[in-house]
Amino acid sequence: MERIAVYPGSFDPITMGHIDVIERSLGFVDRVVVAVTNHSRKNSLFTIEERVALIRTIYDKSKRVEVDRFNGLLVNYMKKKRINIILRGLRAVSDFEYEFQMLLANRKLDSRIETVFLMPGEEFFFISSSIVKEIASLKGDVSMFVPEVVAEALKKKFKY
Amino acid sequence: MERIAVYPGSFDPITMGHIDVIERSLGFVDRVVVAVTNHSRKNSLFTIEERVALIRTIYDKSKRVEVDRFNGLLVNYMKKKRINIILRGLRAVSDFEYEFQMLLANRKLDSRIETVFLMPGEEFFFISSSIVKEIASLKGDVSMFVPEVVAEALKKKFKY
Amino acid sequence: MERIAVYPGSFDPITMGHIDVIERSLGFVDRVVVAVTNHSRKNSLFTIEERVALIRTIYDKSKRVEVDRFNGLLVNYMKKKRINIILRGLRAVSDFEYEFQMLLANRKLDSRIETVFLMPGEEFFFISSSIVKEIASLKGDVSMFVPEVVAEALKKKFKY
Amino acid sequence: MERIAVYPGSFDPITMGHIDVIERSLGFVDRVVVAVTNHSRKNSLFTIEERVALIRTIYDKSKRVEVDRFNGLLVNYMKKKRINIILRGLRAVSDFEYEFQMLLANRKLDSRIETVFLMPGEEFFFISSSIVKEIASLKGDVSMFVPEVVAEALKKKFKY
Amino acid sequence: MERIAVYPGSFDPITMGHIDVIERSLGFVDRVVVAVTNHSRKNSLFTIEERVALIRTIYDKSKRVEVDRFNGLLVNYMKKKRINIILRGLRAVSDFEYEFQMLLANRKLDSRIETVFLMPGEEFFFISSSIVKEIASLKGDVSMFVPEVVAEALKKKFKY
Amino acid sequence: MERIAVYPGSFDPITMGHIDVIERSLGFVDRVVVAVTNHSRKNSLFTIEERVALIRTIYDKSKRVEVDRFNGLLVNYMKKKRINIILRGLRAVSDFEYEFQMLLANRKLDSRIETVFLMPGEEFFFISSSIVKEIASLKGDVSMFVPEVVAEALKKKFKY
């Protein structure tokens, strides 16, 4: 039986840290669905269409990475797609607590769901979408932090 | 002499975690004043009148739990009410640091004030008002996280 | 292809928290090898033979949980057994940092190895082998924290 | 009804931080029993008789602070003394996690028991019995960290 | 050769904690440039002109503390000013992680840059610009937390 | 005036992480004294003579790095050597709290002393002397974690 995990997030935009987590997950699941959420507490820089399109460009030819979007509760999306595994990257203590809270809420909402955590390579440890946006908004070079297609999209957004 | 503690917060809305802290505190104080603040850095989902009314419904018949609201500094409210004990729940490392900061500021503002911390039951560890609002905004079931009257109020707000 | 994870540890003794992690892992791997290490910085209460025997009693009839012991480096044991996935439970911030350190060392020693982390149920969050041993050494009731066979072994060790 | 809390610990030796917690607790309980445990994972510098004697000297004339010792489980000691409140000081994140673990174990062992946490003054935040012993073993001046009688006892132990 | 450090921040407004860090840094660098950034994720209470002016008033006669403002990336500002040392205060675990992230990003952007961290005196540990603004917005007394000139500016802003 | 920092520790043995901190510190001090302490709560693997000799071999030709040993309190050693700056590396949250405690104790013992913290490169983040010894005791390859001369000394100690 095929083993599939969902990797949910706002991916605003996707970074080398996210990509590292996806690569690593392919060592123990057959397929990963990168599921971009439309619902976020913060305003996003990229529209959901743009965020999905950027990830699709990167995983264009991959047979094992699918890109999708979802509205509403993650557990409902997973039920519909018949996926039971959530994939999450863990970088820092602050992540850790937020992740715990979400995991326990998800378990309460659907007890069959399991969350597995991976740690990105240490060179991606401190890369986050927010820091990338902060540097790009100041017209700094973000090419070490994001794939080329994302770096260009950031340059267009911030006109440099 | 009667021992009274104030339990301050925005309670937007009150959760099972808050209620657990209130119940536990009644093991060592005579009365608890749940003091809803009108001042918050974030926009609230419920108006202060709604928040107070929800808590009043829950503690309708309790002789030991009083519900009140306050403006301005907590230490001034406490001086006026002649209360010296602040009650706070501690759940996670991030809480811990914020609480320390507030406690030290309050001690500087009025040295007679003491803050006592309780830890909620582990089943309420990761319930917060924000996560409850996030789930409700996605029309998820929050009945394990909040009292029934609050669950209904959330359904009305988010129309589901 | 069968997916196998190794769950390494000293298991001195195995607790309900470990068992919860094993159960959860069976949702995304085919088999788990519980690998008891003979090498520990602390003196163990139970000999390695006793620790292995206790876990074997628990997983007596399980076809998906194997019990084994190893000496030397985990990465060498895994190479010999042709396993690439390490399973670890995460409970608290302090775990988190130690786990990071071990994971990065293991990745340096063998880059094909991936560590996946699970979080136990919140009712097992704060159970550790050390706290169980501390309570048992004081002749306290540990039956909520460990399987029956372990509770009895602890009673024998501490003569109560 | 008189409200009594037990303040358990190894107090090897008592520091200004412990004393600050005791003083603060007297703002919301009637009496505190400082309960010195004979059971500790580490070797103690002072014998339990010495540790109890040092605390007794300090609270010689206090009617609200009692000094006692106990063997075995804290919950059993509390049952015998009919005390339901445990008092603990919280200083740092590492304390926080250990305290959580002990609190949850104690709640499982006796659900009527409640633990209340206080934070010492910031000038005592980073004083611990271990750091005091480390400085004293190097013949350093510990008079800012412990009461005079303890400073003298440390000098005798380390012959300076 | 003169050793110069830049102390970057939004300083909205400068607090006793910042001032303590500046004083301490003068023990190992010759001069400090307090560099106020115009770019912040949050809306500021004081305009950049006001923030710079407040700090200038405080360091009016100091030959070793210079006040400046900058736009854009800190690393570019430092290149232009030929400064290689960033000075940062560390107070709490949450600071710690954010600081790590910024430091690693800065190192990637310019490898010659080094960040040195100081810890403020424990009496300034829990003072932050946000908590000062929160208290002032409630017309509380902030004179223990900020220099007099800042306390007065806060009173004007909040009209009390 | 020459600026000198002391870098104290047990260095049992020195790792690439320590060396990275020393290199970075030379960007803002003129000289570093690596001061090996004979006093440690744990038993050391290498004698103090061996530890000093290993570091001396590494900094053989360096004019800016001196190696020394000390007994007793660090503050006394610094007073004798007329050094006011302590250099420390910060890697993780657990370090952070221990370092705070030591820093505050040192400040109380001698207020002229300042501690500056550096963060090692992320590739050295999770390397510690203990993990190096653990891997070496299992006859694992530690050549990525320590200088060659230390790797050889470890091989001799553990006979592989």
Side-chain angles (χ1 to χ4, degrees):
Chain A
M1 204 196 70
E2 212 194 23
R3 208 150 278 147
I4 311 177
V6 66
Y7 184 29
S10 47
F11 300 100
D12 182 42
I14 193 166
T15 68
M16 296 309 277
H18 297 127
I19 287 169
D20 186 60
V21 166
I22 294 169
E23 298 303 319
R24 289 177 187 283
S25 74
L26 294 177
F28 67 94
V29 292
D30 300 298
R31 279 201 300 129
V32 174
V33 179
V34 182
V36 186
T37 175
N38 203 4
H39 178 84
S40 171
R41 279 168 298 182
K42 311 166 226 155
N43 291 326
S44 66
L45 175 67
F46 292 99
T47 66
I48 186 153
E49 286 77 19
E50 290 172 319
R51 286 179 273 146
V52 167
L54 284 170
I55 310 175
R56 285 229 167 96
T57 311
I58 297 162
Y59 290 106
D60 196 17
K61 284 161 193 164
S62 169
K63 284 179 181 152
R64 297 178 65 197
V65 181
E66 190 188 316
V67 187
D68 198 6
R69 51 187 282 184
F70 72 102
N71 297 301
L73 280 180
L74 177 60
V75 294
N76 292 343
Y77 171 76
M78 292 177 72
K79 211 172 288 177
K80 212 183 59 196
K81 299 275 285 187
R82 301 183 175 224
I83 306 180
N84 291 323
I85 308 172
I86 299 174
L87 177 69
R88 296 291 292 164
L90 267 185
R91 293 168 312 163
V93 170
S94 45
D95 280 4
F96 177 78
E97 298 207 319
Y98 176 74
E99 292 296 335
F100 255 148
Q101 203 175 27
M102 287 310 304
L103 169 150
L104 291 172
N106 282 329
R107 270 192 197 157
K108 287 256 154 64
L109 293 170
D110 186 342
S111 65
R112 288 160 307 176
I113 281 180
E114 202 49 75
T115 308
V116 301
F117 295 92
L118 291 182
M119 295 184 191
E122 77 257 43
E123 65 273 32
F124 306 121
F125 242 54
F126 290 96
I127 298 173
S128 68
S129 295
S130 341
I131 220 162
V132 163
K133 284 182 280 188
E134 192 169 332
I135 295 171
S137 75
L138 297 167
K139 307 192 192 312
D141 178 8
V142 294
S143 59
M144 296 87 82
F145 305 129
V146 291
E148 214 188 308
V149 60
V150 175
E152 272 163 42
L154 283 164
K155 280 189 181 169
K156 260 186 215 149
K157 280 276 173 210
F158 292 110
K159 303 188 174 84
Y160 68 107
Chain B
M1 204 197 70
E2 211 193 25
R3 207 150 280 147
I4 310 178
V6 67
Y7 184 29
S10 47
F11 301 100
D12 182 40
I14 193 168
T15 69
M16 297 308 279
H18 297 127
I19 287 170
D20 187 60
V21 166
I22 294 169
E23 298 303 318
R24 289 177 186 282
S25 74
L26 295 177
F28 66 94
V29 293
D30 299 299
R31 278 201 299 130
V32 174
V33 180
V34 182
V36 186
T37 174
N38 203 3
H39 178 84
S40 172
R41 279 168 297 181
K42 310 166 227 154
N43 291 325
S44 66
L45 175 68
F46 293 99
T47 67
I48 186 153
E49 287 77 18
E50 290 173 319
R51 286 179 274 146
V52 166
L54 284 170
I55 310 175
R56 285 227 168 98
T57 312
I58 297 162
Y59 289 106
D60 196 16
K61 284 161 193 164
S62 169
K63 283 179 181 151
R64 298 178 65 198
V65 181
E66 190 187 316
V67 188
D68 198 5
R69 52 186 281 184
F70 72 102
N71 297 300
L73 279 180
L74 177 60
V75 294
N76 292 342
Y77 172 76
M78 292 176 72
K79 210 171 288 177
K80 212 184 61 196
K81 298 275 285 187
R82 298 180 178 228
I83 305 180
N84 291 325
I85 308 172
I86 300 175
L87 177 68
R88 296 292 293 164
L90 266 187
R91 293 167 312 162
V93 170
S94 45
D95 280 5
F96 177 79
E97 299 206 318
Y98 176 74
E99 292 295 336
F100 255 148
Q101 203 175 26
M102 287 310 305
L103 170 150
L104 292 171
N106 282 329
R107 270 190 196 158
K108 288 256 153 65
L109 294 170
D110 186 342
S111 66
R112 288 160 309 176
I113 280 181
E114 203 47 75
T115 309
V116 301
F117 295 91
L118 292 182
M119 295 184 192
E122 77 257 43
E123 66 273 32
F124 306 121
F125 243 54
F126 291 96
I127 297 174
S128 68
S129 296
S130 342
I131 219 162
V132 163
K133 283 183 280 189
E134 192 169 331
I135 295 172
S137 75
L138 297 168
K139 309 193 190 311
D141 178 8
V142 294
S143 58
M144 297 86 81
F145 305 129
V146 291
E148 213 187 310
V149 60
V150 175
E152 272 163 42
L154 283 164
K155 279 188 180 168
K156 260 186 215 148
K157 279 276 173 209
F158 292 110
K159 303 188 174 85
Y160 67 108
Chain C
M1 204 197 68
E2 212 193 22
R3 207 149 279 148
I4 311 178
V6 67
Y7 184 29
S10 47
F11 301 100
D12 183 39
I14 193 167
T15 68
M16 297 308 277
H18 296 127
I19 287 170
D20 187 61
V21 166
I22 294 169
E23 298 303 320
R24 290 178 185 283
S25 74
L26 295 177
F28 67 94
V29 293
D30 300 297
R31 280 200 299 131
V32 174
V33 180
V34 182
V36 186
T37 175
N38 203 4
H39 178 84
S40 171
R41 278 168 298 181
K42 312 166 224 153
N43 291 326
S44 66
L45 174 67
F46 293 99
T47 66
I48 185 155
E49 287 76 20
E50 290 172 320
R51 287 179 272 146
V52 167
L54 284 170
I55 309 175
R56 286 230 166 96
T57 312
I58 296 162
Y59 288 107
D60 196 18
K61 286 162 192 163
S62 169
K63 284 180 180 149
R64 299 178 63 198
V65 181
E66 190 187 318
V67 188
D68 198 6
R69 52 187 280 184
F70 72 102
N71 297 301
L73 279 180
L74 177 60
V75 293
N76 292 342
Y77 172 76
M78 291 177 72
K79 209 171 288 179
K80 213 184 60 196
K81 298 275 285 187
R82 299 182 177 225
I83 305 180
N84 292 323
I85 308 173
I86 300 175
L87 178 68
R88 296 292 294 162
L90 268 187
R91 294 167 312 164
V93 170
S94 45
D95 280 6
F96 177 78
E97 298 206 319
Y98 176 74
E99 292 294 336
F100 255 148
Q101 203 174 26
M102 287 310 304
L103 169 149
L104 291 172
N106 282 328
R107 269 191 197 157
K108 288 256 152 66
L109 294 170
D110 186 343
S111 66
R112 288 161 308 177
I113 280 180
E114 202 48 74
T115 309
V116 300
F117 295 92
L118 291 182
M119 295 182 190
E122 77 256 42
E123 65 273 32
F124 306 121
F125 242 55
F126 290 96
I127 298 173
S128 68
S129 295
S130 340
I131 220 162
V132 163
K133 284 182 281 187
E134 192 169 332
I135 295 170
S137 75
L138 297 166
K139 307 192 193 311
D141 178 8
V142 294
S143 59
M144 296 87 78
F145 305 129
V146 291
E148 213 187 310
V149 60
V150 175
E152 273 163 42
L154 284 163
K155 280 189 180 169
K156 260 186 215 150
K157 280 277 172 206
F158 291 110
K159 302 190 173 83
Y160 69 107
Chain D
M1 204 197 67
E2 211 191 26
R3 206 149 282 148
I4 311 178
V6 66
Y7 184 30
S10 47
F11 301 100
D12 183 40
I14 194 168
T15 69
M16 297 308 278
H18 296 128
I19 287 169
D20 186 60
V21 166
I22 294 169
E23 299 303 319
R24 290 178 185 282
S25 74
L26 294 176
F28 67 93
V29 293
D30 299 298
R31 280 200 300 130
V32 174
V33 180
V34 182
V36 186
T37 175
N38 203 4
H39 179 86
S40 172
R41 278 168 298 180
K42 311 165 225 153
N43 291 326
S44 66
L45 174 67
F46 293 98
T47 66
I48 185 152
E49 287 77 19
E50 290 173 320
R51 288 179 273 146
V52 166
L54 284 170
I55 309 175
R56 286 230 166 95
T57 313
I58 297 162
Y59 289 106
D60 197 16
K61 285 163 193 161
S62 169
K63 283 180 182 151
R64 297 178 64 198
V65 181
E66 190 188 317
V67 187
D68 198 5
R69 52 186 280 184
F70 72 102
N71 297 300
L73 280 180
L74 177 60
V75 293
N76 292 342
Y77 172 76
M78 292 177 72
K79 209 171 289 180
K80 212 184 60 196
K81 299 274 285 187
R82 299 181 176 224
I83 305 181
N84 292 324
I85 307 172
I86 300 174
L87 177 69
R88 297 292 292 164
L90 267 187
R91 293 166 311 164
V93 170
S94 45
D95 280 6
F96 177 78
E97 299 207 318
Y98 176 74
E99 291 296 335
F100 254 148
Q101 201 174 28
M102 287 311 303
L103 169 150
L104 291 171
N106 282 328
R107 268 189 198 159
K108 288 255 151 67
L109 294 169
D110 187 343
S111 66
R112 289 161 307 177
I113 281 180
E114 202 48 74
T115 309
V116 301
F117 295 92
L118 291 182
M119 295 184 192
E122 77 256 43
E123 65 274 32
F124 306 121
F125 242 55
F126 291 96
I127 298 173
S128 68
S129 295
S130 340
I131 219 161
V132 163
K133 284 183 280 189
E134 192 170 332
I135 295 171
S137 75
L138 298 166
K139 307 191 191 311
D141 179 7
V142 294
S143 59
M144 296 86 80
F145 305 129
V146 291
E148 211 186 312
V149 61
V150 175
E152 273 163 42
L154 283 164
K155 279 188 179 169
K156 260 187 215 149
K157 281 277 173 206
F158 292 109
K159 302 187 175 83
Y160 69 106
Chain E
M1 204 196 70
E2 211 194 23
R3 206 150 280 148
I4 311 177
V6 66
Y7 184 28
S10 47
F11 301 100
D12 182 41
I14 193 167
T15 69
M16 297 308 278
H18 297 127
I19 287 169
D20 187 60
V21 166
I22 294 169
E23 298 304 319
R24 290 177 186 282
S25 73
L26 295 176
F28 66 94
V29 293
D30 300 297
R31 278 200 301 130
V32 174
V33 180
V34 182
V36 186
T37 175
N38 204 3
H39 178 83
S40 172
R41 277 168 299 180
K42 311 165 226 154
N43 291 325
S44 66
L45 175 68
F46 292 99
T47 66
I48 186 154
E49 286 77 19
E50 290 172 319
R51 286 180 273 146
V52 166
L54 284 170
I55 310 174
R56 285 229 168 97
T57 312
I58 297 161
Y59 290 106
D60 197 18
K61 284 159 194 167
S62 170
K63 283 179 179 152
R64 298 178 64 198
V65 181
E66 189 187 318
V67 188
D68 198 5
R69 53 186 282 184
F70 72 103
N71 297 300
L73 280 179
L74 177 60
V75 293
N76 293 341
Y77 171 77
M78 292 176 72
K79 209 170 290 177
K80 213 183 59 196
K81 298 275 285 187
R82 300 182 177 225
I83 306 180
N84 292 322
I85 307 171
I86 300 174
L87 177 68
R88 297 292 293 162
L90 266 186
R91 294 167 312 164
V93 170
S94 45
D95 280 4
F96 177 78
E97 297 206 320
Y98 176 74
E99 292 295 336
F100 255 147
Q101 203 175 27
M102 288 310 305
L103 169 149
L104 291 172
N106 282 328
R107 269 191 198 157
K108 288 255 154 65
L109 294 170
D110 186 342
S111 66
R112 288 160 307 176
I113 281 180
E114 202 49 75
T115 309
V116 301
F117 295 91
L118 292 183
M119 295 184 191
E122 76 257 42
E123 65 274 31
F124 306 121
F125 243 54
F126 291 95
I127 297 174
S128 67
S129 295
S130 341
I131 220 163
V132 163
K133 285 182 280 188
E134 191 169 332
I135 295 171
S137 74
L138 298 167
K139 308 193 190 310
D141 179 8
V142 294
S143 59
M144 297 87 81
F145 306 129
V146 291
E148 213 187 309
V149 60
V150 175
E152 272 162 44
L154 283 164
K155 279 189 181 169
K156 259 186 216 149
K157 280 275 173 210
F158 292 109
K159 303 186 173 86
Y160 68 107
Chain F
M1 205 196 67
E2 210 193 25
R3 208 149 278 149
I4 311 177
V6 68
Y7 184 29
S10 46
F11 301 100
D12 183 40
I14 194 167
T15 68
M16 297 307 279
H18 297 126
I19 287 169
D20 186 61
V21 166
I22 294 169
E23 298 303 318
R24 291 178 185 283
S25 74
L26 295 177
F28 67 94
V29 293
D30 300 298
R31 278 200 303 129
V32 174
V33 179
V34 182
V36 186
T37 175
N38 203 5
H39 178 85
S40 171
R41 279 168 298 182
K42 310 165 227 156
N43 290 326
S44 67
L45 174 68
F46 293 99
T47 66
I48 186 154
E49 287 77 18
E50 290 172 319
R51 287 180 273 146
V52 166
L54 284 171
I55 310 174
R56 285 227 167 98
T57 312
I58 297 161
Y59 290 106
D60 197 17
K61 285 162 194 164
S62 168
K63 284 179 181 151
R64 298 178 64 197
V65 182
E66 189 188 318
V67 187
D68 198 5
R69 52 187 281 183
F70 72 102
N71 297 300
L73 280 180
L74 177 60
V75 294
N76 292 343
Y77 171 76
M78 292 176 72
K79 209 172 288 178
K80 213 184 59 194
K81 299 275 285 188
R82 301 183 175 223
I83 305 180
N84 292 324
I85 308 173
I86 300 174
L87 177 68
R88 296 292 292 164
L90 267 187
R91 293 167 312 164
V93 170
S94 44
D95 280 5
F96 177 79
E97 298 206 320
Y98 176 74
E99 292 295 336
F100 255 147
Q101 203 175 26
M102 287 309 305
L103 169 151
L104 291 171
N106 282 328
R107 269 191 197 157
K108 288 257 151 65
L109 294 169
D110 186 342
S111 65
R112 289 160 307 177
I113 280 180
E114 202 49 72
T115 309
V116 300
F117 295 91
L118 291 183
M119 296 184 190
E122 77 256 42
E123 66 274 31
F124 306 121
F125 242 55
F126 290 96
I127 297 173
S128 68
S129 294
S130 339
I131 219 162
V132 162
K133 284 183 280 187
E134 192 170 332
I135 295 171
S137 75
L138 298 167
K139 308 190 190 315
D141 178 8
V142 295
S143 59
M144 296 85 82
F145 305 129
V146 292
E148 211 186 312
V149 61
V150 175
E152 271 162 44
L154 284 163
K155 280 188 179 170
K156 260 186 215 149
K157 278 279 172 207
F158 292 108
K159 303 187 174 84
Y160 66 108

